[in-house]
Amino acid sequence: APDYAEAYNQRAIHFFKRGEYPRAVADCEAALRLNPFHFGAAAGLGQCLAKVGKPRAAIRAYRTAIDIN
């Protein structure tokens, strides 16, 4: 479902649980491109970016999630 943001978000969760953080980042970003108000994707992106050692980008993603919420 290439136009369904939640499909990307769910796959991002799967990748995150497997420790495949760069792939999870890509899917969170895809979900947010399709739905800029997807709280779960924004919060998940923050977690993924923290795991790959990008704390400033993680903080930006967390701030986006707060704004959405």
Side-chain angles (χ1 to χ4, degrees):
D3 296 326
Y4 185 47
E6 185 59 22
Y8 287 100
N9 186 58
Q10 289 299 312
R11 191 169 69 175
I13 292 167
H14 168 76
F15 288 143
F16 184 87
K17 288 180 179 181
R18 293 176 46 100
E20 298 180 44
Y21 305 119
R23 293 177 81 182
V25 166
D27 276 352
C28 287
E29 290 172 340
L32 287 166
R33 275 193 301 278
L34 292 168
N35 179 0
F37 302 103
H38 196 298
F39 173 80
L45 179 59
Q47 291 177 339
C48 295
L49 290 168
K51 289 284 190 180
V52 296
K54 296 184 177 182
R56 290 184 180 164
I59 290 169
R60 283 193 301 274
Y62 288 138
R63 286 185 177 144
T64 297
I66 289 169
D67 289 344
I68 292 168
N69 193 33

